[in-house]
Each structure stands twice: as structure tokens, then as C-alpha cells.
Amino acid sequence: MPAHATLAGVGSDARPSPDEQRRAFLQRSLLAEAVVELTVLDRAPQTEPGRDSAGAAVTIPRTRLRARVDEALGAGPLRRGEEIDLLLPGGLLTLPRDADGSARRDAPPRTVGAWVPASPQLRPGDRAVVLLDRWHGAWTPLDLRAGVLRIDAEAGLAVVDPPSRLDSEPARPVEVAAFPLDPLRRDLAARLAGPAVDSDPGVQSATAAFALTLSPDALPPFGCGDGGGNPIRWFEFERGQQVEVLARSGGQIGVPNGGLSQVEAAIGAWNNDAQSDVRLVYGGETELTLAIAGLDGRNSIAFEDPGDQIPGSYPQRVLIALTVVFFDCERLLSFAGGLAHPIVEFGIVTQDGVGSFFFGNQANPLSALGEVLGHEMGHGLGFAHPCSGTAADPCVGPENSALMRPILQGDRGAVLGSDDRAALAALYRAPVGPPPAAPSNLRLTASTTSSLSFEWNDESSGELGFEIESRSLAEPWEPLISAPAGATTATVNGLDAEPRLFRVRARSTGGLSAPSNQIAATPRFDIAPCVQDEHTLCLNRGRFLVRSSFSMPAPGGAAEPGEPASGELLTEDTGTFWFFSPSNVELVLKVVDACVPFGGYWVFGGALTDVETSILVVDTTSGETRTYFNPAATPFQPIQDTAAFSSCL
């Protein structure tokens, strides 16, 4: 979110009065290509192709609004009754899927929200006075939210958008400026026609609802549906993991040495709170071409807007920086403060022109950049402005010393205030007291083609809930769903036909418990004949489909992405798999018909390897699956599963 998108300008401690806001809006109208009153007719997600830092294709989320011009103010190119498209940054992504409908193995979460707090949240039916600019071949609000006044037709008011806010207090009303609509219309028309003549401003105040930084609650593809209305946060920290941040090589123009030291200062500001478990880490410089456009698996900072992600340029436009935060709309997980969507990535970019015309004119450019980056990094953690800095909603008391306040002070650097620390405590409070006892005896109880159901024994008391975690081959553990306190069952939906490991952990104010036992499982397959290919064996008269994958360790202790093993038949019920060459057999597996006299099929296997390996066996007559995992750096343990498949039909 732009750290300093205030109607009074950037870098000022002044708190604009409602009348000053109205005058600033009128003054900004002279920079607009068109000024209109409009009604939003439709809203649709839109994407643009882009490239990540490795040159791979990424999808850039946008939101397209279809609107009708109700009144054209001034001599712009638009006319009353004309329908136009407005393009806004951010939105929701529906990520690519394979032909069979399952998510790609390497794909991020399937539905991902791209949060751009600076973007106005206009919906069909909304009316607004909008200052229009051109961006990527379409219309867009000048300075995004700062170029929009919502129309309250019943009250005859034009209302300033309230800020999106996050603090430790419960929801409370926020006073925002509102202007009588008819005098505003006259003033806009007069200013756009020639010398400004202000009518009686008649400034009033209107009450808007305070909100945490919440996911949208509209139905997909515009929101998270029933999961909307919840905060967003990182869940890695409580699991002892770090979140890496990269910066574009060269840093910020107009700041000594590019100001890259201030990236570390901003990270340190959020890390150095004893009551918080935030652990950001600086990963160094990179040659990023796009920092915030699309999901590329990197949290990154770019300078001078290399991908044109912010409309216009400074000082003609007031935005200094912009942050986009991607969060998983489909997952809603518990933490000590309630429920939240996991953040999966964020990107920060400074506006082009700020180096020469803003930072270069500051008494202490390093300190100013540190404050901007610290503020934007706070958005990347899920925090929003605690106040708007206006006369109707001033930044007073602890809010006035907050790093997350929307008005730049310029000489404070990346230093947290007490209000910022209260926000940290709300989302990222460090564990207090001992963790709960680990659940035990996790077991699979049911499966469908897209879900798995589990049961476990609750060994703790006073827990706040449970987390069901999972990972696929070579991937880290991640939480999938939460279950309430006292629960001993849960169902994980939305799974694809990929072997995975599962475990469960209890949560309390003392943090997460040790994990339960692990079990390997795969959802059922649709009933279909087995088709043998390079990576698939069809055993026991073609009834059983068998596949295997493996992952090699990579430098630094990580793991290479999983690869499918190649299979060869030995006999009707036995096959082998090789990983590296056909002459180097790694795995032997057979499915034995033990229906007479034992009433089922058995699976036996052995291997000459210690790499991480998964094996999937599917009964194609029922879709039932059996999954086997061998951990990395562990000699393969023999498979002697005499209870694998009980159906002999």
C-alpha cells in the first residue's frame, strides 16, 4: 500500500482538514485526463502476461470495472451515457490446472488474492466522482483511491474512502470527510473550465465502518466467499521458518549506495520485538524484472517502478510506493488471535521519479527510505494504517508515532512505535508457556476423489485448536486446515491425485505441539482402466496402477523437485523402477493376489536407495489407493503390506 497517499501530499506532518482535502481534490482534478461521475455496472478479474526474475511466465492480477458515465465534468473526452472500462491493480487469481482438473504439482495455491490497499474497492452499483488517468491502455483512477469520492445519493454527499486499518482494538467507527455533492460539482466544473471559484464547502463528516485488513467477502472470483472477512498473516514464523526478502540490484536512485542497508534496517525493525515471532531475512540483491506483478515464489523490492505497476510518475502523482500482498483465499487457519488466511508472497515497488524528486530532496535520504521500506514491509506482514491523518481521523497518541501511519515523517527511519508493537502482538504474538502435548494415532478414515478424512487421539488439555499439516515429495510441511479445540476428526478437501504425507499438531498460547505420527495417503482415483506408459506399471492382469517418484538432495540441504521414476515389467505381478539410468534398478514392487485363501491383495516392495521416494498403488476397479513414502537420507524400509486391498471382486 502506498505509504504516503494522502490528499495533503507526501512527507508532511500536517493533518489536512476536511476543507483542505476538498481543495486538494479540486487541485488534483487539473492533472486528470477526465473527471466524471460514474456508476459501476460490472466487475471482472483480468490478467496480463509477465515475466518473473528467472524469465518464466507469470500472471499479473488486475480487476476490470465496467462503468457508465453519469456526468462528464469539464472538457474531457468522455460523454454522458458512455460506457468505459477502468483497470485497477490487484484482484484474485485462479491459477492454471492440468487437463484432469488437478492443480499443477509446482503451482501455488489455486485461488490467491492480491491485496492492493491503495486500490479503491468499487463494486457494481457504486456511484463515485472519479479523477481519471490512463494506464496500460485503459482508464484508471488518478492516484488510485485518492482519486475517488464515493457518492451517497440519499445524503447528497461525496465521501472520502475510509482507510483499511489494523490494530489491536475491536472494530470501531471511523470519521471520514464528506462534502455536499452539488457544491463539489460546481467547483469541479468551474476549476476545469478556468480559474477556480470555490462555493461554500459545507464540509460535513460521515461515519464509515472500521475494518481490520480483511480478505474480501464477495463470492469468487471477487472474494473469498464464506472465508472472507478475516485477516491475513504469515504462518511460517510460528513453525520456526524464515521469510526471505530480496531487493533489486542497485537500489534506490537518489539515496547513497542505493539505500540497500535500509532494506536490512526495515527487516530488523519488525524482527526485533521480543514479544513477536516475526523472522524476516534479507536474501540479498537480485536482477528482478518484476517485483510485485505476479506470483514467482519471491518476496521482493524493486525501485523506480520498472514494470509500470503504479500509474503515472512522481511528482505528478502522489504515490511514493506500492505493496501487493498475495494470500491464499482457499485456506483459513487458526492462530492465537482467531482465524486468518496465510500470506504466500508480497512485493514492494517505489514510484518512478521519487529518487530525483523526493528522496534526493530529503535532508536524510537514507532515513526517509528506511521509513518507507519499513512501512511497506508492514503491509507485507498484513498490517494497515492505524489512522488516515485527516482532521476527521487524526493520528493522535500512539498512532501518531506509528511506523504504519500514512504520513511520512522523513527523519525517523525504520523504527516501530507502540502502536506497531500492539499490531505485532495481535497477529504474531510469541508463544507464552509450554506447548500442548502432541496428538497421537493419526489415521485415515475415509477418502473421495478430492478429499481425505482423518481421526486422531487428543492428548492435550486447554488447546485452542489443531492444525492438519501436509507435504508432497521434496516440499516443506504446510498447514492445510484448522480444527477447533476438542476435535478429533477433520476432512481435507480440494486435494489432487498426488501422494502426500499428513500429520496433526495441537495449538495453544504456548505455540504448536510436536507433530503426531505421519501417514501417507492419496485421494481415490476415478474408476478407469490402467494405461501403461514410461512412468506407469499395470500389475496383476492390469488391475493395479503403480507409480513412483523420487527427489534428490540439493546443495544447502534443500531438495530437488520430485521426478517420476521410470518403470519396467518383470512379471505379470512384479515391476521395477529406475531413477537415473535403466541399468541402475532402484526399486522392486509386486502386488500379490492373496484372495484365496486370505481375501485380499498384498503389496510387497524393496529398494536399494536412501533418497526420498513415494510409491502409489491404485486398484483401478474401485479407485482405492495405497501410498508409501521413504524419507530422505534413510535406507528404504521393506514394504510388507498384507492389508493393502481387501476387495477381491
Side-chain angles (χ1 to χ4, degrees):
M1 186 173 183
H4 326 294
T6 63
L7 292 177
V10 178
S12 170
D13 274 327
R15 300 182 190 124
S17 68
D19 185 44
E20 289 171 330
Q21 291 185 71
R22 183 184 65 86
R23 293 176 186 273
F25 189 86
L26 293 174
Q27 183 65 27
R28 185 171 293 113
S29 69
L30 298 177
L31 301 175
E33 292 200 20
V35 181
V36 299
E37 290 181 31
L38 56 76
T39 298
V40 179
L41 303 176
D42 189 23
R43 180 175 61 168
Q46 181 168 311
T47 59
E48 295 180 7
R51 297 285 173 182
D52 67 11
S53 56
V58 294
T59 301
I60 303 172
R62 310 282 192 215
T63 298
R64 181 189 60 79
L65 302 179
R66 188 69 174 172
R68 181 187 64 244
V69 176
D70 298 324
E71 295 290 343
L73 306 174
L78 300 177
R79 296 292 177 264
R80 182 177 183 178
E82 186 175 350
E83 292 190 4
I84 61 173
D85 286 330
L86 279 74
L87 190 64
L88 303 175
L92 263 68
L93 290 176
T94 300
L95 297 170
R97 298 172 184 266
D98 287 337
D100 64 359
S102 63
R104 299 195 320 268
R105 175 176 299 183
D106 60 345
R110 290 182 292 276
T111 302
V112 178
W115 173 52
V116 184
S119 187
Q121 303 300 309
L122 294 170
R123 299 187 177 191
D126 286 349
R127 295 186 60 204
V129 179
V130 184
L131 311 181
L132 291 174
D133 198 2
R134 299 293 293 182
W135 183 52
H136 287 262
W139 294 106
T140 195
L142 177 70
D143 291 325
L144 300 178
R145 177 183 287 171
V148 175
L149 293 175
R150 294 177 182 268
I151 293 176
D152 182 343
E154 184 175 344
L157 297 174
V159 184
V160 174
D161 259 2
S164 173
R165 298 168 28 141
L166 177 69
D167 57 25
S168 58
E169 300 179 22
R172 55 186 172 89
V174 175
E175 293 292 318
V176 296
F179 321 121
L181 187 56
D182 287 339
L184 179 70
R185 287 169 173 157
R186 291 195 296 270
D187 289 345
L188 281 169
R191 185 170 293 268
L192 294 170
V197 178
D198 285 344
S199 305
D200 177 10
V203 175
Q204 303 180 23
S205 66
T207 299
F210 167 86
L212 299 176
T213 303
L214 304 179
S215 60
D217 58 4
L219 294 176
F222 305 112
C224 301
D226 292 340
N230 288 284
I232 60 177
R233 72 188 292 271
W234 290 94
F235 281 83
E236 279 74 2
F237 304 135
E238 62 195 34
R239 289 168 169 77
Q241 301 170 11
Q242 297 177 326
V243 171
E244 184 182 65
V245 182
L246 301 171
R248 180 161 179 153
S249 297
Q252 176 62 57
I253 297 171
V255 181
N257 299 317
L260 291 172
S261 63
Q262 296 307 299
V263 177
E264 296 186 78
I267 288 172
W270 291 107
N271 284 350
N272 296 331
D273 184 282
Q275 306 304 313
S276 161
D277 59 9
V278 169
R279 291 298 176 265
L280 299 169
V281 60
Y282 181 41
E285 299 178 49
T286 184
E287 295 293 338
L288 286 170
T289 54
L290 288 174
I292 69 167
L295 282 165
D296 64 359
R298 299 170 179 87
N299 305 298
S300 50
I301 303 172
F303 305 94
E304 297 286 318
D305 197 12
D308 191 27
Q309 301 308 309
I310 308 177
S313 61
Y314 191 86
Q316 289 77 24
R317 305 294 181 262
V318 301
L319 303 188
I320 285 181
L322 187 77
T323 298
V324 177
V325 186
F326 294 91
F327 61 92
D328 187 344
C329 208
E330 293 187 351
R331 283 191 291 167
L332 195 57
L333 305 175
S334 66
F335 70 107
L339 295 173
H341 297 281
I343 297 174
V344 296
E345 189 176 317
F346 69 82
I348 298 169
V349 62
T350 63
Q351 174 69 293
D352 53 317
V354 296
S356 300
F357 297 102
F358 179 73
F359 291 113
N361 294 325
Q362 297 294 305
N364 189 335
L366 280 171
S367 180
L369 179 62
E371 183 179 352
V372 170
L373 294 181
H375 179 105
E376 300 300 331
M377 214 165 286
H379 289 313
L381 291 169
F383 303 135
H385 298 156
C387 53
S388 66
T390 66
D393 179 31
C395 298
V396 296
E399 295 174 348
N400 195 41
S401 61
L403 182 59
M404 293 308 297
R405 78 175 203 156
I407 303 171
L408 180 69
Q409 297 179 55
D411 58 356
R412 67 173 291 158
V415 178
L416 300 190
S418 60
D419 194 70
D420 305 308
R421 297 185 188 280
L424 274 173
L427 274 189
Y428 298 106
R429 182 180 295 277
V432 178
S440 65
N441 193 24
L442 178 66
R443 53 216 182 260
L444 181 69
T445 57
S447 68
T448 71
T449 55
S450 61
S451 69
L452 295 170
S453 297
F454 301 94
E455 189 172 1
W456 62 88
N457 296 345
D458 180 3
E459 306 291 352
S460 60
S461 59
E463 76 274 357
L464 298 175
F466 297 89
E467 300 291 330
I468 290 78
E469 300 179 335
S470 180
R471 75 174 184 89
S472 56
L473 196 71
E475 296 296 326
W477 288 97
E478 62 174 351
L480 292 185
I481 63 169
S482 296
T488 56
T489 62
T491 297
V492 180
N493 296 303
L495 296 171
D496 55 25
E498 179 182 20
R500 301 185 69 91
L501 286 170
F502 295 87
R503 67 188 189 187
V504 62
R505 303 171 80 172
R507 176 192 295 279
S508 73
T509 55
L512 290 169
S513 72
S516 70
N517 58 299
Q518 303 175 14
I519 62 172
T522 307
R524 300 177 74 91
F525 271 47
D526 290 325
I527 297 175
C530 180
V531 178
Q532 188 156 310
D533 58 31
E534 179 185 358
H535 304 297
T536 303
L537 297 181
C538 299
L539 301 183
N540 217 302
R541 299 177 299 279
R543 174 168 177 163
F544 293 93
L545 178 153
V546 182
R547 292 174 182 155
S548 179
S549 295
F550 68 97
S551 173
M552 286 292 294
E560 298 285 355
E563 298 181 42
S566 297
E568 294 183 2
L569 278 176
L570 278 183
T571 67
E572 185 180 76
D573 61 7
T574 305
T576 65
F577 287 93
W578 57 268
F579 299 164
F580 309 108
S581 71
S583 62
N584 184 10
V585 173
E586 302 282 355
L587 172 65
V588 179
L589 186 135
K590 65 179 180 180
V591 181
V592 178
D593 184 349
C595 288
V596 179
F598 298 105
Y601 287 87
W602 298 349
V603 175
F604 290 87
L608 303 173
T609 185
D610 67 349
V611 302
E612 186 167 53
T613 308
S614 69
I615 300 171
L616 171 64
V617 183
V618 182
D619 183 349
T620 61
T621 66
S622 66
E624 190 177 357
T625 64
R626 288 294 180 269
T627 308
Y628 309 94
F629 260 82
N630 187 71
T634 303
F636 193 97
Q637 299 301 301
I639 300 171
Q640 299 179 356
D641 189 354
T642 57
F645 299 95
S646 59
S647 174
C648 289
L649 298 178

